[in-house]
Amino acid sequence: MSIMELQAMEVNTSLQTVSNGGSARNETAESNSAGDFELSDRPTPINQDVSLHQASLPSCSQDFPQIFSPQLGSVTINPRTSMVRLSSSNSTNINSTFGATNLTGVFLPPINSSSNNVTSTPNLPDPFTTLLEESMLDEISLLDLAMEEGFSQAQASQLEDELDSDSGLSLDSSHSPASPSSSETSCSSAASSSSTSANFSEEGAVGYSTDSEVAAVETEEGAVGGYQPEYSKLCRMSFQDLSQFHGLPQLDSISHNHTYNVPLSSTLSEQPDLPLSGGKKTTRDKKLQPSQDLLDKHSSRDERRARAMKIPFSNEKIINLPVEEFNELLAKHHLSEAQLALIRDIRRRGKNKMAAQNCRKRKLETIINLEQGVQDLRRNKARLLKEKMEFIRSIRQLKQKMQSLCQEVFSQLRDEEGRPYPPNEYCLQYGSDGSVLIMPRGGMTAQQSRKPEKKQKDKKK
DNA sequence: GGAGGGTGTCATGCC
DNA sequence: CGGGCATGACACCCT
């Protein structure tokens, strides 16, 4: 961006004539350190040896910003017999900045280029053309990528409009063009995930809940209705902590019987073949008599089995007691083998039930976290795309500025006969010693048209 | 009545 | 080696 300072550069068109070519050569050597641009002038033959040697350009590998160092302060035309000096008020040494850089492409405006139109870009020679071409290609690929990401044509143009606005605002997630619709949805779920995750972290293990409790939860869900995103799934699982239901009047009617030791009714005794373990819910399980329905409506199968087998303690104890206490509990009671087997199955199933609940909860959390990660990556991608577009725009502006500067430089240049140097025949070349040479473009063509002479390095100063 | 989601349970592997 | 946890798979239930 420092090249913009050149816009205010005061160009001194005073012509300094050096009568002695040899002295001019010496002067060139001395003035190189000043960083002035020296342009060989006619009719002095251009020193092809020197200029071509200096034409070797490592330039393309140079960092782009360095090309536009503010140290570029003055332009001096110093032919063998005459020197055109274009100087600014603050001439500085550009040597350290430019190094051995070929300015041929940089300073040479496109042939017949009288405007700063961007369309003239392809005419710019290396290295600037390379940069610009890369920019344009990147821009194309950028837009392609944007399209690939779901950009519509309008959205892509809108993105460019936003870039032109110089707002500097980063794309917010809600404005992410990558996935407008999904972004909304996922953002909501992502936002919910944060609170949900926090809830989980505090919640810890779900804890064993009876079917009656689950039924209460399902009753609560029924009041909500409709599809619920992952948040509702997690809430559903979290709600199995009954403490969260305190104060919910609609749940007051649900009685939670955790005693499980209610004497078994005749109904269960009528089902002696009730499997002790395994087996899915069968229609037989549901064929309870009306009075039993009230009792077992919210009881799990294991609870009913426990009552059927007259287990003298609750399923909650069976499941949640530590192993030692559990074994002590079993030792305190004289239990049959069938009862012991059922108790162990109840404990196993109860723990596995909690494990399954936790497993599913973790799975949902993982999904939500992954969705959050996708959203974060999309936002980051959109931000990078915007930055890239801004860089492309900056390069475009710099290119236009450079073109105008090149035109200005060539408009000031005159050979010994007062003829201007056609930009399409000559180009500027920057030497490693800080000198700037004007060289015929394309070698012989310009020389043939202007009685080519060998350029002398010392003369260029 | 089928689809989809939730839940309980089993089997299995791992610690 | 037994207990417990994690998880895929399956069946069942509900909406």
Side-chain angles (χ1 to χ4, degrees), chain A residues 350-405:
Chain A
K351 288 193 174 295
N352 185 249
K353 179 181 176 180
M354 289 188 296
Q357 290 170 345
N358 290 331
C359 180
R360 285 162 177 152
K361 189 171 66 179
R362 279 191 300 270
K363 185 182 292 184
L364 288 177
E365 285 181 297
T366 300
I367 292 173
I368 290 175
N369 289 335
L370 288 174
E371 288 176 345
Q372 177 73 53
V374 169
Q375 287 305 309
D376 291 342
L377 290 174
R378 283 177 175 164
R379 277 193 291 271
N380 194 33
K381 183 178 182 179
R383 180 181 57 80
L384 292 174
L385 285 174
K386 183 184 179 183
E387 289 180 5
K388 190 173 184 178
M389 297 284 278
E390 289 172 347
F391 284 135
I392 289 173
R393 191 160 54 89
S394 296
I395 290 174
R396 192 181 300 151
Q397 292 173 346
L398 291 173
K399 180 198 68 177
Q400 295 174 356
K401 181 65 64 180
M402 184 61 71
Q403 289 175 355
S404 65
L405 288 173

Side-chain angles (χ1 to χ4, degrees), chain A residues 14-142:
Chain A
S14 63
L15 181 65
Q16 300 181 6
T17 302
V18 180
S19 59
N20 187 326
S23 63
R25 179 174 307 189
N26 294 335
E27 180 183 339
T28 297
E30 294 171 0
S31 61
N32 271 343
S33 59
D36 293 341
F37 284 79
E38 299 183 23
L39 308 172
S40 62
D41 199 1
R42 289 211 44 164
T44 302
I46 296 175
N47 187 341
Q48 293 285 351
D49 295 337
V50 175
S51 60
L52 288 178
H53 174 71
Q54 294 178 341
S56 62
L57 70 143
S59 52
C60 286
S61 61
Q62 277 195 323
D63 292 339
F64 182 74
Q66 290 181 338
I67 297 177
F68 305 101
S69 170
Q71 293 177 341
L72 179 63
S74 64
V75 177
T76 300
I77 303 173
N78 190 7
R80 180 183 299 173
T81 56
S82 65
M83 181 177 71
V84 178
R85 182 180 182 88
L86 304 175
S87 61
S88 67
S89 59
N90 57 346
S91 175
T92 55
N93 191 348
I94 63 172
N95 220 359
S96 58
T97 300
F98 278 83
T101 302
N102 186 354
L103 294 181
T104 297
V106 175
F107 272 12
L108 182 67
I111 299 174
N112 298 331
S113 173
S114 58
S115 66
N116 292 336
N117 195 324
V118 181
T119 56
S120 62
T121 299
N123 292 331
L124 284 179
D126 199 47
F128 206 68
T129 299
T130 303
L131 286 171
L132 289 173
E133 286 176 350
E134 289 178 356
S135 303
M136 298 305 289
L137 288 176
D138 286 346
E139 190 169 8
I140 293 172
S141 61
L142 170 64

